[in-house]
Amino acid sequence: MIRRDFLLGACAAGFAAGLPSSSLQKESSAGLTFGFSDVTAAAGIQFRHNNGGYGGKFLPETLGSGCAFLDYDSDGWQDILLINGMDWAGHKRQRSTLKLYRNNRNGTFTDVTRSAGLDIEMYGMGVAVGDFNNDGFEDIFVSCVGQSRLFRNSGKGTFVDVTRSSGLFGHQGFSTSALWLDYDRDGLLDLFVCNYVRWSPEHDVFCSLDGTHKSYCTPEAYRGDTCWLFHNRGDGTFEDVTAASGIFDTSSKSLGVAMFDYDQDGWPDLLVANDTQPNKLYRNLKNGKFKDVAVEAGLAFSTEGKARAGMGVDIGDFENSGKLGVAITNFDNEMTGLYRVSAPGVFDDISMLSGIGSASRNTLGFGCMFLDVDLDGLLDLTVANGHIDETVRNIRGNTGYAQSPQLFLNRGGGKFRDVAGEVGGGFAAPKVGRGLAYGDFDRDGDLDVLMTTNNGPAYLYRNDQISHPRSIRFQLQGVKSNRDAIGAVVRIFYDGQSQIRMVRGGSSYLSQSELPLTFGLGPRDKIDRVVIDWPSGRNEEFKDLRADRSYKCLETKGIEAQQGF
């Protein structure tokens, strides 16, 4: 709970800084209108990530694993999936599997991993959730070191490993983030998978800081690897179209990926965050092929022309201008990059102007996500931080291994302020943060936060609104489009203002947020209209929708209000 004295302190700080009255209102409300509660234990989430570390200093041990909000049983409540690693061969100490938690609809979860058929060991990294066979139940792809896995949802509370029958078996690598998208708009979800470097335990490189003791290598010690693109044939199998699509590039060292409509032509494009290599922006040419335009777009390098250590990535219209902005997390002393459109198809890095740059200079960021945490209608930015090497204190005095997450509250005008230390719930406590996802698990209309840590616990933070702002939620279901409506763009309009969201997987780092869309409305009790651009190309509009409702939108069939969220 956030106390009244926080409000007084925020006001005093605002006057001392000479902020304009509009900023003062935002600053004071930032400390009062919401707070976080750590409900991990109370919710029944008992999980600890295993990176397999035994002293061998294998590169995958540094990168952690992801998490997801998903509705695997299609009951309208968000469940939780946590990805796990495992012990290395020859150094077995414990059995570690991913964990699936079913939402009990009362603030608690039940571990259903075994009964769901997911009690399987793998060195898991990332997760992508999507209904690839359009049967109404969300399927799961888990990216791994070695053989990644595809699990088909049976619709009966269980999953079937279809990696071999789907044609994905044999594609082995150091796979990281992944997402589902319908890149050819045929109504079937295709699969994009990032790969980091060419590494295996048998070909591990000896790196050392002192010439004697082994340390974790930097990515420069290894050759890069290409991302993969798999086309959905519609019969339960996938075709590797990596080379034919123009995605093939063995120089990449990819960790994060996000989809968005970069050129606003109605076709999904892909932004890939690379570590020590230029980022990639794959523009969809609408003929099954992509072209990398990251250099022209201003997203490939830093403002100094250097390739940074891109980790996580997210896309969002944080200025409500109708133009999507970009966030990319990087290594310490590189800052989180925040980009906005300066000309058609061109981005400028405004991280220093926004206040995010200086605040993130001494952090190493992984997961990042835009979300309207205080429901005021402006997208805020959350970042999970943590270093890759526990000996970092011996190297740099200003950087620690465990680091505080950051919550950059959007003050308007392209300005942000880190309020992580004010939201409570232990959110700002230093962690070795990695994956980050959001979802309204308790269906109260605001977005809760799920975070993973490397070789440590997961955290579930419940978002508690104090001033009771309004929100509106939309759950889309495609008919001609893919059933999950991934790629659909939703715009709401009210009082001469607008907001935009896209239904999408991926983003952040190794993780997946919920598919339903949440718009914060502040004190407003309705919106004038909503416009939905479906992936199929169909456009639909609905007017005069009340706040504090969730609306189910079925392509070509209309819209239906649910009671509450």
Side-chain angles (χ1 to χ4, degrees):
M1 182 65 67
I2 298 178
R3 305 184 309 273
R4 181 176 178 273
D5 55 344
F6 281 4
L7 170 61
L8 299 176
C11 286
F15 281 114
L19 295 172
S21 58
S22 58
S23 295
L24 283 175
Q25 184 178 6
K26 180 70 178 179
E27 290 288 297
S28 55
S29 66
L32 186 67
T33 61
F34 76 101
F36 280 165
S37 297
D38 181 352
V39 297
T40 314
I45 305 297
Q46 299 177 344
F47 174 84
R48 188 172 185 88
H49 173 248
N50 175 27
N51 69 0
Y54 66 94
K57 299 287 186 177
F58 285 171
L59 184 60
E61 298 167 7
T62 65
L63 294 180
S65 65
C67 55
F69 279 109
L70 74 164
D71 183 8
Y72 87 96
D73 52 2
S74 296
D75 68 348
W77 293 75
Q78 293 296 312
D79 311 299
I80 286 175
L81 183 67
L82 298 168
I83 307 302
N84 211 346
M86 60 182 289
D87 290 333
W88 300 109
H91 299 274
K92 297 292 290 184
R93 297 167 300 179
Q94 59 182 307
R95 190 171 189 275
S96 304
T97 73
L98 53 76
K99 290 291 184 181
L100 177 64
Y101 291 94
R102 187 188 65 226
N103 194 325
N104 296 327
R105 313 184 196 181
N106 61 0
T108 69
F109 293 79
T110 297
D111 183 349
V112 295
T113 311
R114 185 179 296 275
S115 62
L118 294 175
D119 188 29
I120 303 169
E121 277 201 302
M122 64 193 91
Y123 202 102
M125 295 295 296
V127 56
V129 177
D131 183 4
F132 78 85
N133 55 0
N134 288 333
D135 67 351
F137 294 93
E138 294 179 351
D139 310 298
I140 298 170
F141 176 80
V142 180
S143 63
C144 297
V145 176
Q147 179 64 60
S148 297
R149 306 289 190 95
L150 177 61
F151 297 98
R152 178 178 57 80
N153 192 330
S154 70
K156 301 176 182 178
T158 60
F159 289 85
V160 179
D161 188 339
V162 295
T163 308
R164 188 178 295 272
S165 62
S166 68
L168 298 180
F169 187 81
H171 288 82
Q172 297 195 21
F174 188 163
S175 299
T176 53
S177 294
L179 59 75
W180 296 97
L181 79 163
D182 184 5
Y183 76 90
D184 54 356
R185 301 200 335 185
D186 65 351
L188 298 167
L189 287 177
D190 312 299
L191 180 64
F192 184 89
V193 182
C194 292
N195 287 298
Y196 190 36
V197 296
R198 297 192 179 187
W199 179 92
S200 68
E202 297 75 25
H203 298 92
D204 183 60
V205 175
F206 182 90
C207 295
S208 176
L209 295 174
D210 58 10
T212 303
H213 300 94
K214 193 174 190 296
S215 62
Y216 288 116
C217 294
T218 65
E220 287 93 341
Y222 296 94
R223 294 173 59 192
D225 204 355
T226 184
C227 298
W228 295 324
L229 180 62
F230 298 100
H231 177 251
N232 189 336
R233 292 191 179 106
D235 59 359
T237 68
F238 292 82
E239 174 189 9
D240 183 352
V241 295
T242 305
S245 67
I247 295 291
F248 185 81
D249 178 2
T250 56
S251 71
S252 290
K253 298 178 180 180
S254 304
L255 288 174
V257 60
M259 65 171 287
F260 71 125
D261 187 359
Y262 153 74
D263 49 6
Q264 297 184 329
D265 64 353
W267 293 72
D269 310 299
L270 292 164
L271 178 58
V272 179
N274 282 323
D275 187 359
T276 70
Q277 294 293 311
N279 300 320
K280 303 291 184 180
L281 174 53
Y282 291 112
R283 181 185 172 208
N284 194 329
L285 301 181
K286 301 182 281 190
N287 60 359
K289 298 182 182 298
F290 291 80
K291 178 183 178 182
D292 178 20
V293 297
V295 173
E296 303 95 295
L299 295 172
F301 303 100
S302 70
T303 53
E304 294 80 21
K306 297 179 180 179
R308 291 190 281 190
M311 310 288 187
V313 56
D314 201 10
I315 313 288
D317 181 8
F318 58 84
E319 294 183 307
N320 288 344
S321 64
K323 300 173 183 177
L324 296 175
V326 173
I328 301 177
T329 55
N330 296 296
F331 214 75
D332 65 85
N333 290 313
E334 290 184 340
M335 303 184 296
T336 293
L338 183 69
Y339 303 83
R340 69 177 170 200
V341 173
S342 59
V346 179
F347 292 82
D348 278 349
D349 188 337
I350 62 165
S351 55
M352 289 302 294
L353 291 174
S354 69
I356 289 176
S358 56
S360 61
R361 184 179 296 277
N362 293 329
T363 62
L364 197 166
F366 279 90
C368 64
M369 58 188 186
F370 287 110
L371 73 163
D372 186 358
V373 70
D374 56 354
L375 301 179
D376 68 346
L378 293 170
L379 287 175
D380 312 297
L381 179 67
T382 309
V383 180
N385 295 314
H387 218 280
I388 60 170
D389 193 335
E390 68 274 13
T391 65
V392 69
R393 288 188 187 87
N394 301 327
I395 305 169
R396 293 186 179 131
N398 63 344
T399 303
Y401 181 48
Q403 301 178 0
S404 296
Q406 291 172 304
L407 176 54
F408 294 105
L409 205 67
N410 192 332
R411 298 164 55 192
K415 304 293 184 181
F416 291 80
R417 186 175 74 91
D418 184 7
V419 299
E422 302 171 34
V423 298
F427 181 77
K431 306 170 181 66
V432 188
R434 293 296 186 261
L436 200 59
Y438 63 75
D440 183 10
F441 82 86
D442 52 1
R443 285 181 49 167
D444 64 353
D446 58 25
L447 295 173
D448 310 298
V449 173
L450 182 65
M451 183 187 304
T452 63
T453 64
N454 188 32
N455 214 42
Y459 295 89
L460 178 61
Y461 293 101
R462 189 185 65 213
N463 188 345
D464 299 321
Q465 301 294 324
I466 297 172
S467 63
H468 305 294
R470 305 293 186 87
S471 65
I472 190 168
R473 285 169 56 84
F474 297 94
Q475 181 178 356
L476 276 59
Q477 181 178 318
V479 176
K480 185 177 180 181
S481 305
N482 67 86
R483 187 180 175 93
D484 282 336
I486 288 177
V489 175
V490 178
R491 295 177 176 86
I492 66 169
F493 300 85
Y494 54 89
D495 300 341
Q497 303 178 54
S498 65
Q499 297 183 47
I500 183 173
R501 305 277 193 276
M502 174 184 276
V503 181
R504 58 202 172 93
S507 298
S508 186
Y509 171 75
L510 307 178
S511 299
Q512 166 105 32
S513 293
E514 66 173 6
L515 292 177
L517 303 177
T518 297
F519 295 83
L521 299 177
R524 299 170 186 85
D525 59 5
K526 73 179 186 69
I527 62 172
D528 298 329
R529 60 191 177 104
V530 59
V531 176
I532 303 173
D533 295 324
W534 297 90
S536 64
R538 181 180 177 86
N539 176 279
E540 295 181 336
E541 179 176 332
F542 306 97
K543 297 182 178 180
D544 295 324
L545 302 182
R546 294 188 61 81
D548 294 341
R549 298 283 189 279
S550 178
Y551 291 87
K552 185 173 182 179
C553 310
L554 182 61
E555 186 179 17
T556 75
K557 304 294 184 181
I559 189 168
E560 178 184 352
Q562 312 293 308
Q563 187 63 38
F565 296 106

